């Protein structure tokens, strides 16, 4: 757990070599730049917390994190579209990406996350278009926040 420090700079790409990692907690730091694509190599990862940094982009390579149960990158400066491959993380129980600058449409593939129970928070971003009807598949979801 490397949360709540004063780390700055980018997330080292070499974290992707630590393939036995099950949890990565880097929240509440001053990390910048894109989330490295190499994190997609962490095939055993079940929790990824990048909350409260200044990260700029999510890589499409996160689509390989099929065991991920908790993913939070809230309160960053994430720009661009939310990668549709997020729908491959079918074990997700919570997805928190609020307070960023994500654009485009909400990927319909989020409807594949049928294990989502705790929260789906995409609020305070810059999404456009309609709310995907596929979100209706999330029958166990307790909290969905899409405002602002």
């Amino acid at each position: 757990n490397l949360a709540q420090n004063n780390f700055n700079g980018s997330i080292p790409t070499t974290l992707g070599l630590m393939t036995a990692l099950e949890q990565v907690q880097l929240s509440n730091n001053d990390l910048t730049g894109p989330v490295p694509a190499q994190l997609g190599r962490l095939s055993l990862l079940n929790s990824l917390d990048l909350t409260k940094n200044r990260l700029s982009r999510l890589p499409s390579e996160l689509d390989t994190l099929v065991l991920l149960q908790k993913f939070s990158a809230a309160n960053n400066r994430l720009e661009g579209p939310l990668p549709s491959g997020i729908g491959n993380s079918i074990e997700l129980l919570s997805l928190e990406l609020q307070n960023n600058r994500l654009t485009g449409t909400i990927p319909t593939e989020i409807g594949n996350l049928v294990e989502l129970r705790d929260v789906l928070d995409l609020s305070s971003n810059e999404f456009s278009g309609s709310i995907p009807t596929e979100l209706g598949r999330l029958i166990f979801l307790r909290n969905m926040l899409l405002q602002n």
Side-chain angles (χ1 to χ4, degrees):
N1 183 343
L2 299 174
Q4 298 184 8
N5 284 287
N6 291 311
F7 294 126
N8 57 27
S10 59
I11 297 172
T13 60
T14 53
L15 281 184
L17 299 174
M18 303 173 73
T19 56
L21 283 175
E22 295 180 8
Q23 295 185 11
V24 172
Q25 296 188 19
L26 294 170
S27 62
N28 296 288
N29 281 292
D30 194 26
L31 298 168
T32 58
V35 175
Q38 290 82 351
L39 292 187
R41 296 181 187 153
L42 304 178
S43 60
L44 299 178
L45 202 62
N46 62 54
S47 178
L48 179 57
D49 190 350
L50 305 173
T51 303
K52 292 186 181 175
N53 282 288
R54 292 186 297 137
L55 299 168
S56 60
R57 189 167 292 273
L58 293 174
S60 60
E61 288 81 1
L62 295 182
D63 64 354
T64 60
L65 302 179
V66 296
L67 299 180
L68 201 59
Q69 294 180 347
K70 179 183 186 230
F71 179 38
S72 181
N75 301 302
N76 275 285
R77 296 178 181 173
L78 297 174
E79 297 179 334
L82 176 57
S84 61
I86 193 73
N88 293 344
S89 297
I90 58 172
E91 299 294 324
L92 270 176
L93 301 173
S94 68
L95 177 60
E96 299 178 72
L97 297 172
Q98 70 270 22
N99 297 317
N100 281 293
R101 300 172 185 161
L102 295 169
T103 58
T105 59
I106 296 173
T108 59
E109 291 82 357
I110 287 184
N112 297 339
L113 304 177
V114 295
E115 295 299 322
L116 270 179
R117 295 175 192 285
D118 299 331
V119 66
L120 170 63
D121 194 343
L122 302 177
S123 63
S124 299
N125 277 287
E126 298 174 12
F127 290 115
S128 58
S130 59
I131 297 171
T133 58
E134 290 81 358
L135 294 184
R137 294 187 212 143
L138 308 178
I139 60 172
F140 300 112
L141 187 62
R142 292 189 292 265
N143 297 291
M144 181 168 60
L145 299 114
L146 302 175
Q147 73 270 17
N148 296 335

